[in-house]
Amino acid sequence: MGVVPAGTATTAVPASTGRPYVLLSCATSIDGYIDDATEQRLLLSNTEDMDRIDAVRAGCDAILVGAGTIRADDPRLVVRSARLRAARQAAGLSPSPVKVTMTARGLLDPAARFFTVGDAEKIVYCAGPAVDKTTELLAGAATVVDAGDPLDPARALADLAGRGVERLMVEGGATVHAQFLTAGLADELHLVVAPFFVGDRRAPRFVGDGAFPWHPGRRARVAEVRQIGDVVLVRYALSERCADG
Ligand SMILES: NC(=O)c1ccc[n+]([C@@H]2O[C@H](COP(=O)([O-])OP(=O)(O)OC[C@H]3O[C@@H](n4cnc5c(N)ncnc54)[C@H](OP(=O)(O)O)[C@@H]3O)[C@@H](O)[C@H]2O)c1
C-alpha cells in the first residue's frame, strides 16, 4: 500500500494513464436494489459480512463513495476493528484508509461523518466550476481537487495514484458504480446478495442503464462465491489484474 500526504490544497489534475487497483463493493436485495425508498438506510449485509467488509477496507489505501451516498447515508467509512486499525498503524499507515468523494455541485455538509470521523486524509474531487465554493465550504475539513469539467473519474484515479494510492475500494452509490463500470475502471466487484426483496421501483438499483463492458457476448469471470451467514458474496474478476481465491 502507498502513503498519501496530508494537507489542504486545490490542485488541477493532470491527465494520466496510471490508476490504482479498483475494487467495487456493493450489497443488493434479491431483486437488485441497494436501498429502499425511505429516508432510513436499509441494512442489507449481516454482522459477519460487515466484518469482512471491514477487513477489505483495512487492506485498501483509500475508500471512495459518491456525494449522493454521503448525503443519503452519512457513512463513517472507517475501519471499525481495533485489531485491524492497530495492524495498519504497525505497518506505518493511518488507522483507516484515506476517504475520497466526487461531486459536481459541491453540495456537501462539512458536518457529515465522512469529514468529521477519523484522522485519515479526506479528498474531494470536484468539477471545476464548483471548486472555489467547495474549497471555501470545506476549509480545513478536506483537500478539494479540481478534477476538470466535466469531472472525469479516470483523472481522479490518476491523481490518487500520484498521491500513493495503490488500492482503492469504491463503496457506491449507484451513480458512481455505474461510472466506474461503464468506463472500464474496475478490476474487481464484490457483490453481496441479501435474502429478501425490496420490490419498490422508487428505490435505487445497483446500477441504472448504461453500456457495460460485460454483456451477453462478454461475460465476466467469477473469481469466488462464498456464503456468509444468510448472504452470498460473489467476487467478479473484471480485469486481468484480479486474482482468483
Ligand atoms: N447497498 C450498497 O452497497 C450501497 C452502497 C452505497 C450507497 N448505497 C445507496 O446508494 C444511494 C446513493 O446513490 P446515488 O447514485 O444517489 O449517489 P452516489 O453514486 O453515491 O453519488 C452520486 C453523486 O456523486 C457525484 N458524482 C458522481 N460522479 C460524478 C462525476 N463524474 N462528476 C461529478 N460528480 C459526480 C454527484 O454529486 P453532486 O450531486 O454533489 O454533484 C452525484 O450526484 C443511496 O440510497 C445509498 O443508500 C448503497
Side-chain angles (χ1 to χ4, degrees), residues 123-241:
I123 302 175
V124 177
Y125 289 101
C126 186
V131 163
D132 289 347
K133 174 183 85 172
T134 309
T135 302
E136 195 177 331
L137 180 72
L138 299 176
T143 300
V144 178
V145 179
D146 182 344
D149 184 24
L151 190 158
D152 177 3
R155 291 171 69 102
L157 289 182
D159 184 74
L160 285 175
R163 292 169 189 268
V165 172
E166 295 170 4
R167 192 172 173 87
L168 173 70
M169 183 176 184
V170 179
E171 295 205 38
T175 307
V176 162
H177 274 151
Q179 285 187 22
F180 277 80
L181 287 166
T182 55
L185 296 174
D187 297 296
E188 182 172 342
L189 167 64
H190 292 189
L191 190 66
V192 164
V193 181
F196 58 82
F197 294 80
V198 169
D200 184 346
R201 68 171 61 180
R202 295 171 302 169
R205 285 185 183 271
F206 169 38
V207 288
D209 297 349
F212 294 93
W214 302 274
H215 47 71
R218 183 171 182 247
R219 296 157 77 104
R221 182 168 62 86
V222 175
E224 183 189 358
V225 179
R226 198 190 319 165
Q227 181 171 351
I228 304 170
D230 66 354
V231 305
V232 175
L233 164 71
V234 184
R235 202 161 64 81
Y236 291 99
L238 302 181
S239 84
E240 295 307 315
R241 296 166 91 184

Side-chain angles (χ1 to χ4, degrees), residues 5-95:
T8 299
T10 300
T11 321
V13 182
S16 163
T17 52
R19 69 163 174 85
Y21 186 91
V22 176
L23 183 164
L24 308 190
S25 174
C26 186
T28 75
S29 60
I30 293 174
D31 49 348
Y33 289 99
I34 59 168
D35 197 359
D36 60 21
T38 69
E39 292 288 307
Q40 284 75 45
R41 184 178 191 168
L42 177 67
L43 189 63
L44 289 146
S45 291
N46 56 33
T47 305
E48 197 179 343
D49 186 51
M50 283 194 266
D51 288 344
R52 177 196 63 84
I53 292 170
D54 207 38
V56 176
R57 276 185 185 164
C60 289
D61 299 306
I63 305 169
L64 185 150
V65 295
T69 295
I70 295 176
R71 291 190 288 262
D73 295 348
D74 194 19
R76 278 172 293 195
L77 299 178
V78 292
V79 174
R80 294 177 309 154
S81 155
R83 180 182 59 80
L84 292 172
R85 287 198 306 270
R88 283 181 57 93
Q89 284 184 289
L93 301 167
S94 57

